[in-house]
Amino acid sequence: MLSNYILRRFGPINEDYKNEESRIKVGYAASVVGIIINVFLFSIKLFVGLLSGSIAIIADSFNNLSDASSCIITIIGFKISSMPADKEHPFGHGRVEYISALIVAFMVIIVGFQFTKSSFDRIINPSAIKFKIVPFILLLLSICFKIFLGLFNKNLGEKIDSNALKATALDSLGDVVITSVVSLSFLLSNFTTLPIDGYIGILVALGILYSGFKLTKETLSPLIGEAPDKELVDAISNGVSSYKHVSGVHDLIIHNYGPGKCMASIHAEIPSNIDIMRIHDIIDLAERELSKKLNIILVIHMDPVCLDNEEINIARYEVSEVIKSYPEIKSMHDFRIVGDGKSKNLIFDLVVNSYEINTSTNEQSLIDKIILDIKNLHPEYNCVITIDKSFN
């Protein structure tokens, strides 16, 4: 593939693209190629725009210049994000990559606003466009370059799982549409005296603004704290569950400290009657193997559960049937019975989505309803229920 050939021009790269060194080299290569192509396209389009007097083409040229600036910021972002952890930042500097993408987004928005204004001025004060075939061919050529750049960044973004490169790829493919519209307006100017250039300039500017706001949303989301990738959630849950004596998992929390830098904690249910040293060795092994396999830092907490007590098993089944009528409840765990005789407590945790049950009033209302349902079945049981929030 052409992308692999280009990567090799920047020196040997480990094909394990989750490797930190590989991510930096790939990000650097993508950014350098982006700078070269975008500066080249800026020069062509600015020449064509000035030659023809088209505000739409000039706007599109400065869109390419902002893309080149974006690539420079991306290089800086990759460089800083790869810095090792220090005393002030014990989890490293990975989130700088998101911040650099956010700066790029703001730059794109500024360019969009500037050319919206310029395009309105062109509509109010129209001027003739000078159509020439050679500049038109140069515009068509620039579309081919942008298609290549979009596919190139998309391929590399998927290789190293970089939101910054994926966003750049999307922006490049969006530019293909913008330049195509600009080329069409340039061609139509040869057949009409209407100020079509100004209107197309506004469309180009709005396209630039859309790209900027979309990129802002995509880069703010991981900074604010977005839900983790479902594939990673399933890989961790299924991975821990696959180890011997683990009967269930819950309370998975994943923290993102930058692309490829995740810390996760999870609770694993294990039989309460098993030797503690034996199960501790198994849990340690799971932490080491899954951390390496999934390229994360994984911490597993052990929750002992009783699996061979008939009363507990019957009560667990009955409570499971009760909670089926509550769609907001995802699962139940840590079920146990404490006490004897007529004074017994059912103690268990219920997992709900954090965005569905988001106030203490809602929590208590849910708990009260479930307690009432259980009391109708077994008046002798008291219930101690804890609501756990799912963040996945």
Side-chain angles (χ1 to χ4, degrees):
M1 283 180 70
L2 182 57
S3 60
N4 291 332
Y5 171 79
I6 293 174
L7 287 179
R8 287 195 293 270
R9 299 305 95 193
F10 289 86
I13 294 179
N14 187 337
E15 290 195 5
D16 175 16
Y17 291 103
K18 291 183 179 180
N19 176 280
E20 186 68 27
E21 185 180 349
S22 295
R23 289 192 88 257
I24 297 168
K25 285 186 177 180
V26 170
Y28 177 77
S31 298
V32 169
V33 171
I35 291 169
I36 293 171
I37 290 179
N38 279 304
V39 168
F40 173 67
L41 294 180
F42 163 72
S43 303
I44 288 179
K45 291 178 183 178
L46 183 63
F47 169 74
V48 173
L50 294 174
L51 185 67
S52 63
S54 169
I55 188 67
I57 297 176
I58 294 173
D60 197 19
S61 74
F62 276 89
N63 182 34
N64 288 134
L65 184 62
S66 73
D67 289 343
S69 303
S70 303
C71 293
I72 295 173
I73 293 172
T74 300
I75 289 178
I76 297 171
F78 268 102
K79 188 68 177 176
I80 297 176
S81 66
S82 66
M83 292 171 60
D86 54 35
K87 186 178 179 180
E88 289 77 22
H89 308 94
F91 296 104
H93 301 77
R95 287 177 178 168
V96 171
E97 187 174 327
Y98 302 140
I99 296 172
S100 66
L102 190 60
I103 295 171
V104 169
F106 288 149
M107 291 176 60
V108 172
I109 290 171
I110 290 170
V111 170
F113 276 122
Q114 286 175 336
F115 279 102
T116 300
K117 180 179 179 297
S118 299
S119 299
F120 270 117
D121 290 341
R122 178 54 61 92
I123 293 173
I124 296 170
N125 302 298
S127 60
I129 305 299
K130 303 170 186 175
F131 177 81
K132 295 181 183 298
I133 189 64
V134 173
F136 180 68
I137 292 173
L138 289 176
L139 284 178
L140 297 180
L141 182 64
S142 73
I143 293 173
C144 298
F145 275 101
K146 270 296 183 178
I147 291 174
F148 161 75
L149 197 57
L151 296 177
F152 177 69
N153 280 305
K154 182 176 183 291
N155 178 259
L156 297 189
E158 290 173 350
K159 281 182 186 293
I160 66 173
D161 191 26
S162 168
N163 284 341
L165 290 187
K166 290 176 184 177
T168 302
L170 191 63
D171 182 51
S172 295
L173 294 175
D175 288 346
V176 170
V177 177
I178 290 173
T179 305
S180 298
V181 173
V182 169
S183 300
L184 179 61
S185 74
F186 187 47
L187 178 62
L188 292 176
S189 69
N190 196 35
F191 305 101
T192 180
T193 57
L194 292 173
I196 190 171
D197 180 59
Y199 292 108
I200 295 300
I202 288 176
L203 289 178
V204 172
L206 291 177
I208 294 171
L209 285 172
Y210 173 78
S211 297
F213 284 117
K214 190 172 188 298
L215 184 54
T216 300
K217 180 178 178 295
E218 290 172 352
T219 52
L220 275 177
S221 189
L223 284 171
I224 294 171
E226 63 185 355
D229 180 66
K230 187 179 184 301
E231 288 185 8
L232 179 59
V233 170
D234 292 341
I236 295 173
S237 299
N238 296 334
V240 175
S241 298
S242 69
Y243 283 83
K244 191 176 181 181
H245 300 302
V246 176
S247 59
V249 295
H250 56 269
D251 287 354
L252 171 60
I253 298 177
I254 301 174
H255 297 283
N256 179 353
Y257 293 98
K261 297 177 181 178
C262 287
M263 174 178 282
S265 63
I266 191 170
H267 289 214
E269 296 179 354
I270 50 101
S272 58
N273 59 353
I274 197 170
D275 179 71
I276 189 67
M277 295 303 295
R278 182 181 175 194
I279 192 63
H280 187 270
D281 287 342
I282 293 174
I283 294 300
D284 271 357
L285 178 65
E287 286 179 339
R288 288 195 303 271
E289 290 184 343
L290 291 174
S291 291
K292 183 177 180 180
K293 178 183 177 182
L294 302 176
N295 192 34
I296 61 174
I297 300 172
L298 178 62
V299 177
I300 304 175
H301 171 80
M302 295 185 295
D303 278 339
V305 294
C306 184
L307 300 175
D308 55 3
N309 183 289
E310 185 178 358
E311 181 184 9
I312 292 176
N313 289 339
I314 292 173
R316 183 188 293 112
Y317 172 77
E318 290 178 337
V319 174
S320 297
E321 291 298 304
V322 166
I323 65 176
K324 282 182 179 179
S325 61
Y326 296 89
E328 62 268 43
I329 297 175
K330 296 181 67 177
S331 62
M332 176 179 68
H333 61 84
D334 285 352
F335 190 94
R336 55 201 185 276
I337 297 178
V338 176
D340 51 32
K342 293 184 178 180
S343 178
K344 291 184 178 180
N345 291 332
L346 293 185
I347 304 174
F348 55 92
D349 294 2
L350 296 175
V351 179
V352 300
N353 286 321
S354 60
Y355 53 85
E356 289 187 23
I357 307 294
N358 50 22
T359 69
S360 58
T361 302
N362 290 340
E363 281 188 21
Q364 193 56 52
S365 175
L366 178 63
I367 291 172
D368 291 342
K369 289 177 184 177
I370 294 170
I371 289 176
L372 183 61
D373 289 344
I374 295 173
K375 278 286 187 181
N376 289 334
L377 287 175
H378 294 284
E380 72 277 14
Y381 285 145
N382 297 312
C383 294
V384 180
I385 303 173
T386 299
I387 299 293
D388 279 349
K389 302 289 181 66
S390 171
F391 299 99
N392 303 309

